[in-house]
Amino acid sequence: MPVGQRRRFGPGRRSHPGRTAAPGLRLAGHPWPAGHLDRRVLGRGRVRHPCSGRPRHGAGHRRGRAGPTALVGRHGHVRCARARAVAQPRGPRTLCEDCPERPGPSHRVHHFRAQPCDRCRSRRRSVRHDRPPGRHHPAPVPGPAGARTDAARHGRAVTSLRSPSQRKGRTVPEPPGPLAGITVVEMGQLIAGPFCGQLLGDLGAEVVKIEPPGSGDPMRRWGRTTAEGASLTWPVIARNKKSLTLDLRREPGQEVARELLRTADVLIENFRPGTLERWSLGPERLHAENPGLIVVRVSGFGQTGPYAGRAGYGSIGEAMGGLRYLIGEADRPPSRAGISIGDSLAGTFAALGALAALHSRQATGRGQVVDSAIYEAVLAMTEAEVTEWDAIGHQRERTGAILPGVAPSNVYPTATGGDVLIAANQDTVFRRLAEAMDRPELAEDPRYATHQARGARQAELDALIADWSGKIDAGDLLALLHDAGVPAGKVYRAEDMFADDHFAARSAIVRARNALGHEFAMQNVAPRLSATPGAVRWSGPELGEHTEEILTGLGRSEAEITALRDAATI
């Protein structure tokens, strides 16, 4: 068989009677057991793969809708474009999925990509890395490459990222993120569910965001806006996502959603429990058509229990999870953080659960439901609060800027340049702070020599340090503390972040464009992975920007798409 030739699922084709998969094949990273593939016949020009319940045409085949496609490489490994897996022969010639170490020109001949094309993001077919410019791969726009310097505004270099189709001077694709090849369908809105989608998209997953036609996600209109009225929150929380408009309250929209989910890896939703079931999109029905699907459900109180049906926002979860009671000053009502921390925590735990479920699927072949409740995500952050109450009856109280008994660890004034936080509560670190203050005797004083002693005289010690720091410029104070090995940092505002050399050196802030060419600064991907770091590829999409692309990938004709639009389904 020619190197790199596709094997498709052809309906009604008979397999060659004498060619079967070798029993030694193993399926790397695939949700179905390798034995299923061993029993399938590898016929000329196609593969019957366990991903498909019945023979189907390959993705992009002119005669059928999108379906699984297998790519046969130089050494007999079979890639399923639906499952993004590789069936590899055992032995010393086993290759990794993306063959990064393959030497010589043969790599360019046989290597295909399972994830969408870097330039056009098309999923209609797998694409060679070295495919020349053409209809689906326009030549790169001439222009400078690399970091963008915005010195006139901020005085520091800030890395500028572009959507793959907009990047200038680009000739080599970025390394794929660790979740490249994973397809995520996001039905959530506002923050909790979409933040989960943002995290997965940052790490390379293809995220298709379903929004109501006409209005879209309310986050498109929330928060601070530009002079034109565009939200400045949307470009961040919707970055790396594709927008598909779809009316999920009507049967035609639900059918499109089910078709999309038949080949997806993860579904994210944060509606009130029971909503998906009313839309005939509950986990039981979805798993009947796609047993490997992971269904991530984010809600205020979880999918079970007496409060499950209640409406829940992040602020309620913060209150009932115990966080609000602990924020603020003791003599004032409970306060809140200046960000939607409850929603973001629930989204973070949802993403963690999705990754754990994907790992479990490799062993079991089955998907499962990930139930992330906002109040439980907040509760998980409260350290030993419930343990202290249960064991000794101690109730933590609001303590402002400090943690009781942990000293010195506070925000201290400076002569000029803003406040500085100093954390020197460990015995050895406090000794270094005392030397930096030119007061080494403090470290030997019984009142301050130990952690317990300093905690007992916390206010007294804070006043002593504040009196010293208030006479020094913030920059000089930080230089002195850093030289002494004392953890310290300025309390930053956004403008301080743009001016910081360390932020610039690590590209902690990047710039990304949307389809209209508008550029937005935002935080970079976290955490950093050395080989597959992930990236901010583009900012939040326009409403329905990718609807036709996605429906075409599902095999819908232009007439079918027009009918769906006329019926206000999309």
Side-chain angles (χ1 to χ4, degrees):
M1 176 175 212
V3 171
Q5 178 175 333
R6 290 169 175 266
R7 294 182 183 263
R8 295 194 179 276
F9 295 89
R13 300 181 182 179
R14 291 184 298 173
S15 301
H16 192 283
R19 303 182 63 184
T20 59
L25 285 177
R26 60 186 173 87
L27 202 56
H30 194 279
W32 280 267
H36 285 242
L37 183 64
D38 294 347
R39 294 192 292 271
R40 302 290 171 145
V41 175
L42 303 186
R44 178 178 296 276
R46 74 272 183 208
V47 174
R48 264 183 89 86
H49 196 280
C51 282
S52 59
R54 57 185 177 83
R56 301 180 68 187
H57 284 288
H61 196 282
R62 63 184 179 84
R63 292 176 56 195
R65 296 180 180 175
T69 301
L71 306 178
V72 179
R74 184 181 184 90
H75 299 290
H77 62 278
V78 181
R79 161 167 283 151
C80 165
R82 171 178 173 180
R84 288 89 184 176
V86 180
Q88 302 171 336
R90 298 185 189 274
R93 305 188 74 178
T94 296
L95 303 175
C96 71
E97 182 176 0
D98 290 315
C99 312
E101 304 301 329
R102 283 280 302 157
S106 63
H107 174 264
R108 294 191 300 275
V109 175
H110 92 278
H111 183 52
F112 287 82
R113 300 195 64 182
Q115 64 262 35
C117 166
D118 270 325
R119 290 185 179 170
C120 67
R121 310 306 299 169
S122 171
R123 290 180 56 83
R124 281 174 277 188
R125 55 196 173 115
S126 297
V127 189
R128 285 182 181 173
H129 271 236
D130 61 341
R131 185 170 182 83
R135 185 167 62 91
H136 293 294
H137 296 268
V141 180
R148 174 183 185 274
T149 302
D150 200 358
R153 181 175 181 182
H154 300 296
R156 290 294 184 271
V158 180
T159 299
S160 180
L161 299 181
R162 302 291 188 267
S163 170
S165 60
Q166 300 163 334
R167 191 161 302 180
K168 297 181 180 180
R170 175 175 173 175
T171 57
V172 179
E174 294 174 350
L179 297 183
I182 296 296
T183 300
V184 177
V185 176
E186 178 191 302
M187 294 181 179
Q189 57 184 359
L190 300 177
I191 298 176
F195 187 67
C196 174
Q198 176 192 325
L199 295 177
L200 299 181
D202 284 353
L203 296 177
E206 182 188 32
V207 182
V208 176
K209 181 176 181 62
I210 296 178
E211 303 182 72
S215 58
D217 190 325
M219 286 307 299
R220 290 180 175 274
R221 299 173 293 279
W222 283 29
R224 300 287 181 179
T225 62
T226 64
E228 294 78 22
S231 168
L232 292 174
T233 301
W234 177 254
V236 181
I237 200 165
R239 68 192 193 186
N240 294 332
K241 299 179 184 180
K242 295 182 176 182
S243 175
L244 165 66
T245 52
L246 199 60
D247 187 353
L248 295 176
R249 291 173 171 80
R250 302 168 62 187
E251 174 58 31
Q254 295 163 10
E255 176 54 37
V256 173
R258 284 192 293 270
E259 186 175 356
L260 183 63
L261 290 166
R262 287 185 191 116
T263 56
D265 297 289
V266 179
L267 166 64
I268 302 170
E269 66 96 2
N270 65 329
F271 302 114
R272 193 180 298 191
T275 301
L276 283 189
E277 286 76 5
R278 290 197 302 273
W279 292 345
S280 300
L281 294 170
E284 290 187 3
R285 176 158 185 177
L286 297 178
H287 282 151
E289 299 179 351
N290 182 359
L293 181 68
I294 284 88
V295 181
V296 179
R297 314 193 74 170
V298 187
S299 60
F301 302 99
Q303 301 298 309
T304 61
Y307 300 164
R310 291 184 180 180
Y313 279 124
S315 56
I316 307 303
E318 293 168 20
M320 296 183 67
L323 180 62
R324 288 292 184 97
Y325 185 80
L326 298 176
I327 296 181
E329 301 295 335
D331 59 347
R332 299 178 187 178
S335 187
R336 70 167 296 168
I339 55 176
S340 301
I341 189 66
D343 287 318
S344 299
L345 284 173
T348 302
F349 278 102
L352 178 62
L355 297 180
L358 285 169
H359 179 72
S360 174
R361 190 179 71 173
Q362 292 183 348
T364 66
R366 307 288 299 183
Q368 57 185 298
V369 175
V370 177
D371 184 356
S372 179
I374 298 176
Y375 86 98
E376 289 175 345
V378 173
L379 178 64
M381 296 290 102
T382 57
E383 300 173 350
E385 180 185 11
V386 296
T387 307
E388 292 167 353
W389 170 258
D390 182 65
I392 60 175
H394 173 72
Q395 173 60 57
R396 293 195 184 189
E397 300 291 343
R398 292 184 292 282
T399 56
I402 65 169
L403 288 177
V406 179
S409 182
N410 206 340
V411 176
Y412 301 97
T414 64
T416 57
D419 296 331
V420 168
L421 196 146
I422 302 174
N425 47 289
Q426 191 175 352
D427 290 349
T428 55
V429 180
F430 179 70
R431 185 178 300 276
R432 295 197 290 268
L433 174 62
E435 293 175 355
M437 295 173 63
D438 202 21
R439 298 282 303 275
E441 70 279 3
L442 292 178
E444 306 298 334
D445 191 322
R447 296 174 298 171
Y448 312 121
T450 66
H451 178 81
Q452 291 77 12
R454 291 190 298 276
R457 294 172 173 79
Q458 190 164 19
E460 174 185 322
L461 183 58
D462 279 344
L464 190 154
I465 296 172
D467 181 65
W468 166 71
S469 67
K471 301 173 183 176
I472 308 174
D473 177 77
D476 295 337
L477 176 62
L478 287 170
L480 177 63
L481 294 172
H482 294 159
D483 288 343
V486 177
K490 185 179 177 181
V491 179
Y492 272 4
R493 297 181 297 173
E495 63 178 330
D496 300 307
M497 300 175 192
F498 279 100
D500 190 285
D501 289 331
H502 188 77
F503 277 63
R506 287 180 54 85
S507 299
I509 298 174
V510 297
R511 294 182 180 276
R513 284 184 176 178
N514 61 16
L516 301 179
H518 300 152
E519 189 176 74
F520 302 94
M522 62 190 68
Q523 58 273 32
N524 205 345
V525 176
R528 308 291 178 88
L529 278 69
S530 59
T532 53
V536 181
R537 292 161 284 164
W538 60 83
S539 66
E542 295 301 299
L543 181 62
E545 180 180 334
H546 305 92
T547 297
E548 289 193 14
E549 172 192 333
I550 294 167
L551 294 180
T552 301
L554 291 175
R556 298 299 178 104
S557 67
E558 184 175 344
E560 289 176 312
I561 295 174
T562 300
L564 289 172
R565 182 173 287 109
D566 292 342
T569 301
I570 61 175

